[in-house]
Amino acid sequence: RTALAPRETAARRKGKSRRGRGKARSEGLLSKQKRSRRMKANDRERNRMHHLNSALDALRSVLPTFPDDAKLTKIETLRFAHNYIWALTQSLRLA
């Protein structure tokens, strides 16, 4: 590798060199790419929430609740499950 002249080094530090970047992208293309990425991220998040809600529904179905028609919230479901598992563990220890 050869030593760069001071002028070339300063130009590279200022970002005037475009090594490895190729052509600049147009604003329209960037906008479409951002929109596409956002839509994909939204789809992933929607699927994640559907899976989470399905898992919570399955958990609610095995927890004993009174009355049966009351649907627990997400945090209530998790707290109830934690306390229920703790109570079952304690009853096994005492038995």
Side-chain angles (χ1 to χ4, degrees), residues 1-20:
R1 193 170 171 174
T2 62
L4 296 175
R7 191 175 41 174
E8 291 173 326
T9 306
R12 284 194 181 187
R13 269 192 239 127
K14 290 181 183 177
K16 295 193 180 196
S17 173
R18 293 180 41 96
R19 271 181 33 199

Side-chain angles (χ1 to χ4, degrees), residues 4 8 16 19 21 27 33 37 39 41 48 55 66 69 83 87 90:
L4 296 175
E8 291 173 326
K16 295 193 180 196
R19 271 181 33 199
R21 293 290 304 219
E27 290 296 321
Q33 285 178 339
R37 286 183 192 142
M39 288 176 63
R48 187 187 72 83
F66 302 102
D69 59 351
N83 292 335
Q90 292 301 313

